[in-house]
Amino acid sequence: MRHLKQGQEYRVYYWNTDKKKWIALVSYTKDNEIELIKNIEGYVAVFVVQPISFNDLISKTNTETIINQLNNLALVEGYSTENGSRVFKPNQPITGAEFAAMQARLLGMIQPGQGRLYEILSTHQPASDDTWSQPYIKQLQSLIPVDYADAPTVTKTQAIGSIVQLQQIIEERTSEKFTGDLYFPKNNIVSRAEASRLILSLIEGFGW
């Protein structure tokens, strides 16, 4: 394997023949050995990427594997710390802006040059950590009434309602059918980890 630059990692992707896209798998690298959480049949490739790592997640736990996959798909964002590292804060309530931004990214509004499955929204380069979520919201509001975008927290009802709308948009614009089950958050105020699990259940329901 090639020598990696600082911050780079090997990540494993598989070729989804139905969607004609490389889809991220949950993978870990140690001493140039790659481990997959779930094996899959078909074409698999290893890419060198420079993902954001979240230092407050325990490796290979259920929460971390979910964030790992969404991180590979450029759907989640963390927080900068004083020492320059990144944390995810999985138990912190997700804000309306953050949840809306995740949904906009799922529709294809991600940074230029990154792979995406659906191309419903245009790409965007976030300006900074403080404003990264804001550019997504205006775009998403043209499709989904994001009435929770300014809220400091998102309720279970708001989260499920908006994800169901998102599911309908994807079905209408891609002629694909959702065949899975949406995850239902356990608490009334949705945490960042719970929101991530809900987003992943939508992704898996479309056959990623």
Side-chain angles (χ1 to χ4, degrees):
M1 290 188 178
R2 59 175 283 189
H3 177 71
L4 298 181
K5 297 179 181 179
Q6 184 176 0
Q8 291 183 334
E9 294 181 12
Y10 294 112
R11 291 295 174 102
V12 180
Y13 292 73
Y14 81 95
W15 181 252
N16 188 314
T17 55
D18 293 331
K19 303 183 188 302
K20 311 299 183 196
K21 297 281 185 177
W22 287 106
I23 306 299
L25 295 175
V26 178
S27 59
Y28 300 88
T29 305
K30 184 177 181 181
D31 299 328
N32 279 350
E33 294 290 330
I34 299 175
E35 176 186 354
L36 294 178
I37 291 296
K38 180 173 67 174
N39 292 323
I40 192 166
E41 296 181 356
Y43 294 103
V44 176
V46 177
F47 294 100
V48 174
V49 298
Q50 193 151 355
I52 297 171
S53 297
F54 303 119
N55 295 341
D56 59 338
L57 300 179
I58 301 173
S59 181
K60 301 182 183 180
T61 58
N62 185 49
T63 295
E64 193 274 342
T65 55
I66 291 170
I67 303 306
N68 182 314
Q69 188 162 1
L70 295 188
N71 189 22
N72 283 353
L73 293 168
L75 297 181
V76 295
E77 195 84 13
Y79 300 95
S80 295
T81 63
E82 292 182 357
N83 63 8
S85 64
R86 303 285 289 185
V87 292
F88 190 76
K89 300 184 180 181
N91 297 321
Q92 177 173 295
I94 193 163
T95 68
E98 290 168 341
F99 192 58
M102 289 175 67
Q103 294 176 73
R105 286 179 168 187
L106 181 57
L107 292 175
M109 194 180 181
I110 58 176
Q111 297 181 40
Q114 294 179 332
R116 53 186 180 162
L117 187 58
Y118 299 117
E119 299 182 355
I120 294 174
L121 298 181
S122 60
T123 59
H124 179 79
Q125 179 71 48
S128 71
D129 285 349
D130 296 332
T131 61
W132 72 269
S133 61
Q134 296 306 315
Y136 298 89
I137 295 170
K138 184 177 180 181
Q139 292 253 359
L140 190 65
Q141 281 179 325
S142 65
L143 299 175
I144 301 175
V146 190
D147 56 358
Y148 54 83
D150 294 327
T153 61
V154 177
T155 67
K156 182 190 307 184
T157 300
Q158 289 171 327
I160 292 293
S162 63
I163 290 296
V164 169
Q165 288 182 296
L166 190 64
Q167 172 193 325
Q168 294 169 348
I169 289 168
I170 294 172
E171 288 180 329
E172 291 170 1
R173 298 197 175 213
T174 65
S175 299
E176 297 181 16
K177 293 297 180 183
F178 179 80
T179 59
D181 295 312
L182 286 177
Y183 172 75
F184 204 76
K186 297 177 181 178
N187 299 313
N188 183 50
I189 299 300
V190 180
S191 69
R192 289 170 55 78
E194 293 270 270
S196 299
R197 190 169 178 183
L198 175 56
I199 290 285
L200 185 60
S201 72
L202 178 67
I203 289 172
E204 291 177 337
F206 278 109
W208 283 40

